[in-house]
Amino acid sequence: MQLTLWTYEGPPHIGAMRIATSMDDVHLVLHAPQGDTYADLLFTMIERRKKRPPVTYTTFQSRDLGGDTAQLVKDTIQEAYDRFQPKTLLVGESCTAELIQDQPGSLAKGMGITVPVVPLELPAYSRKENWGASETLYHLTRKLLSPMATATGSAQSPTPEGRRPRANLLGPSALGFRCRDDVIEITRLLQSVGVDINVVAPEGATPDDFVRIPDADFNVCLYPEVAATTCKWLERTFKQPFTKTVPIGVGATRDFLQEISSIAGVDVAHALAPSESQLPWYSRSIDSTYLTGKRVFIFGDATHAVAAARIAQDELGFTIAGLGTYSREFARDIRAAAERYGVTPLITDEYLEVEAAIAEVQPELVLGTQMERHIAKRLGIACAVISTPIHVEDCPARYAPQMGYEGANVIFDTWVHPLMMGLEEHLLAMFRDDFEFNDTAVASHLGPAERPAETPAAADADAPLRWAEDAERELSKIPFFVRGKARRNTESFAAERGIHTVTIDTLYDAKAHFGR
């Protein structure tokens, strides 16, 4: 463990909280000291959830360490069960409580709780948040579905004739990146090709919904960092195949649909032409030539980083200048992608290493997390957020998916706009000394114009006009391409009123006068 200003992932018990918060009728009892209850703020302040996480803490203090903290755990579990009446109880411990070795999961199993109890082993000093979410979902699924599986595994029944294929969407969770909207978009996409949604989990699911997971014909692994382990277990146990393609970007969405076709036997030909997506059209347009070859540095969770690299190079014509992830469990995927794009992979959870790498390659665009946004701002580089960890501004109230064809539109807007705004600023700076933009300009792009022989202020030779120093400073704050007009209007205003010295008040009075 170490002290740091930023961290890409929290300890694994935060991952457990994400799963519990995503679901209904589930409660998490966390053996934790008083200070570890801060985690509630992640969901209410960043993601703006309307209810606090379903988590009860033992909140032991230093004075409790000399007594029976195990009894404190059991009392807290019983109180939480009696108060909230969950259908499933998760029991774990925070990184600090792990040192006490009270083993709250084992204590809970021996208490005679009448609902399923899922003990969580979350080694905080060797694992992190996404792993904790993955393990929690996996153990929860095993606990609820194991009674339905035979010792040799359950054979997947063929789809009854006349029934549309069914799929489970697995992986969307609290504090994920645009999970709410991704589920809507992929549900719409699958229904358009004749596939119904059976269960979405863990987001919005209940323990009763988990029992229905085996009723589906296959699983869609939307977020491998959270759902891959569970999907593999379901494949082994219930013979349910699962998708390997994450549909982020136009090309990946087409590949995803073709994979659905091979798994479910549905016709997807009509959905392979994304008429509603603007990204392919723009990439073929003359306007996109400004973006061709722009160097981009990508860093985030492995799923979004790999997807972003494919979109950047294959669909927008960017050049990959750097690629990395903080997800060590998926380092192999990043290394394979980095080799494909001819860059050195960056596998680290130290943001200072990421900053050094960005500063070294000096890209035109950074695609990353909220940490890379701050890094890019300090370095003066355009940036777009593509992955967790995120801040409140990355949890929009509007519909803004990342997956499917509409997700490609959102990505197109999010990535291209910073670069185009950068072009605008570049052009303004480049032409600031042009005759049409400097302070003394009177000509127009519509045609040449004669400069007046003298301004109203200069016409009165007996009363020459002067600018006060503070008024000149205020005038300099006005954008250069309208500053000349502001000066002339102010001097005209002053001359008409017999004012010989332009002050800040005169400047604002003139602005109000001509702004009417």
Side-chain angles (χ1 to χ4, degrees):
M1 300 290 285
Q2 65 181 39
L3 293 176
T4 184
L5 178 64
W6 290 330
T7 180
Y8 287 99
E9 295 182 88
H13 73 265
I14 300 297
M17 290 182 64
R18 287 173 55 187
I19 302 302
T21 304
S22 303
M23 298 181 63
D24 296 321
D25 297 330
V26 170
H27 200 83
L28 170 63
V29 176
L30 200 63
H31 191 26
Q34 194 170 23
D36 277 0
T37 58
Y38 74 92
D40 285 13
L41 300 178
L42 295 173
F43 304 94
T44 57
M45 291 183 66
I46 294 179
E47 201 170 36
R48 296 178 291 193
R49 294 223 162 203
K50 297 179 182 179
K51 59 181 180 180
R52 67 173 296 272
V55 182
T56 297
Y57 304 89
T58 58
T59 58
F60 63 85
Q61 302 179 48
S62 57
R63 65 172 177 266
D64 297 318
L65 298 179
D68 187 1
T69 52
Q71 186 59 46
L72 176 62
V73 172
K74 292 193 286 187
D75 291 343
T76 304
I77 291 172
Q78 190 64 54
E79 291 169 5
Y81 174 71
D82 294 340
R83 177 182 177 186
F84 297 104
Q85 292 294 301
K87 292 184 178 180
T88 300
L89 195 64
L90 305 175
V91 182
E93 56 194 346
S94 73
C95 47
T96 309
E98 183 182 340
L99 300 173
I100 305 175
Q101 298 185 344
D102 280 330
Q103 298 182 323
S106 299
L107 293 173
K109 290 174 66 175
M111 291 178 58
I113 301 293
T114 57
V115 299
V117 175
V118 183
L120 302 175
E121 298 293 335
L122 305 172
Y125 297 93
S126 60
R127 298 290 187 173
K128 293 197 173 182
E129 179 183 327
N130 281 338
W131 184 89
S134 175
E135 283 295 291
T136 301
L137 179 62
Y138 166 65
H139 286 290
L140 176 62
T141 304
R142 285 197 61 166
K143 180 68 175 182
L144 297 175
L145 296 186
S146 288
M148 304 172 61
T150 63
T152 58
S154 301
Q156 179 69 21
S157 302
T159 303
E161 187 175 352
R163 176 174 72 74
R164 287 169 36 127
R166 296 174 183 165
N168 299 314
L169 304 185
L170 302 183
S173 67
L175 278 184
F177 191 67
R178 310 284 174 84
C179 291
R180 175 199 66 186
D181 299 340
D182 284 347
V183 167
I184 296 173
E185 183 65 21
I186 297 306
T187 297
R188 184 174 69 115
L189 185 65
L190 290 178
Q191 288 177 342
S192 72
V193 297
V195 176
D196 293 329
I197 304 304
N198 182 52
V199 170
V200 178
E203 184 63 56
T206 67
D208 293 337
D209 292 327
F210 270 64
V211 175
R212 297 191 294 109
I213 285 178
D215 296 339
D217 301 298
F218 64 97
N219 296 311
V220 175
C221 184
L222 284 184
Y223 306 97
E225 282 85 355
V226 175
T229 302
T230 299
C231 287
K232 291 173 183 177
W233 181 80
L234 290 169
E235 185 177 49
R236 293 193 305 269
T237 307
F238 295 98
K239 304 301 182 285
Q240 287 180 314
F242 68 94
T243 59
K244 311 300 190 300
T245 305
V246 179
I248 300 178
V250 173
T253 300
R254 290 170 174 164
D255 293 346
F256 171 78
L257 286 170
Q258 290 172 338
E259 189 176 8
I260 293 295
S261 177
S262 63
I263 291 176
V266 294
D267 182 11
V268 299
H270 65 283
L272 294 178
S275 58
E276 66 270 34
S277 178
Q278 297 297 310
L279 192 152
W281 161 81
Y282 186 83
S283 296
R284 294 192 300 268
S285 72
I286 188 65
D287 293 334
S288 70
T289 55
Y290 168 69
L291 304 176
T292 303
K294 290 292 184 183
R295 299 169 66 254
V296 58
F297 187 98
I298 302 170
F299 192 89
D301 69 48
T303 295
H304 287 89
V306 171
R310 177 177 178 179
I311 297 170
Q313 178 155 304
D314 297 348
E315 299 178 24
L316 288 171
F318 295 161
T319 298
I320 308 301
L323 178 62
T325 185
Y326 58 81
S327 303
R328 295 185 180 275
E329 292 84 4
F330 291 83
R332 182 176 299 174
D333 297 336
I334 289 291
R335 291 193 178 99
E339 183 178 3
R340 185 160 59 250
Y341 301 117
V343 295
T344 302
L346 179 62
I347 316 296
T348 182
D349 56 6
E350 299 285 346
Y351 69 90
L352 291 176
E353 292 184 26
V354 180
E355 181 170 5
I358 294 174
E360 181 181 359
V361 300
Q362 285 294 309
E364 281 87 17
L365 177 66
V366 174
L367 303 175
T369 73
Q370 68 154 325
M371 267 79 101
E372 282 66 51
R373 173 166 49 207
H374 290 297
I375 291 169
K377 185 176 182 180
R378 285 203 302 274
L379 297 176
I381 302 172
C383 180
V385 174
I386 63 165
S387 163
T388 55
I390 54 177
H391 213 298
V392 61
E393 62 191 281
D394 304 310
C395 299
R398 70 185 185 281
Y399 184 62
Q402 294 288 284
M403 295 186 178
Y405 295 133
E406 184 59 30
N409 286 337
V410 173
I411 289 172
F412 164 66
D413 285 342
T414 307
W415 297 10
V416 169
H417 287 175
L419 288 172
M420 299 308 290
M421 291 303 296
L423 172 62
E424 179 180 294
E425 293 173 4
H426 170 70
L427 290 174
L428 289 176
M430 185 169 63
F431 289 109
R432 68 182 306 144
D433 294 325
D434 187 270
F435 74 93
E436 289 197 53
F437 290 103
N438 62 44
D439 288 350
T440 60
V442 294
S444 165
H445 66 283
L446 298 176
E450 294 288 332
R451 171 176 287 280
E454 58 181 6
T455 65
D460 187 359
D462 296 332
L465 186 69
R466 59 178 293 271
W467 281 72
E469 186 175 339
D470 55 351
E472 284 280 10
R473 284 198 301 269
E474 194 68 17
L475 180 69
S476 68
K477 298 178 183 178
I478 298 175
F480 62 86
F481 46 87
V482 294
R483 194 180 304 145
K485 183 178 180 180
R487 178 185 289 275
R488 291 190 297 276
N489 285 346
T490 303
E491 291 177 350
S492 175
F493 176 85
E496 290 174 359
R497 287 158 180 76
I499 298 173
H500 302 299
T501 301
V502 175
T503 64
I504 289 182
D505 290 339
T506 310
L507 184 62
Y508 281 114
D509 288 343
K511 179 178 183 295
H513 173 77
F514 288 103
R516 286 182 302 180

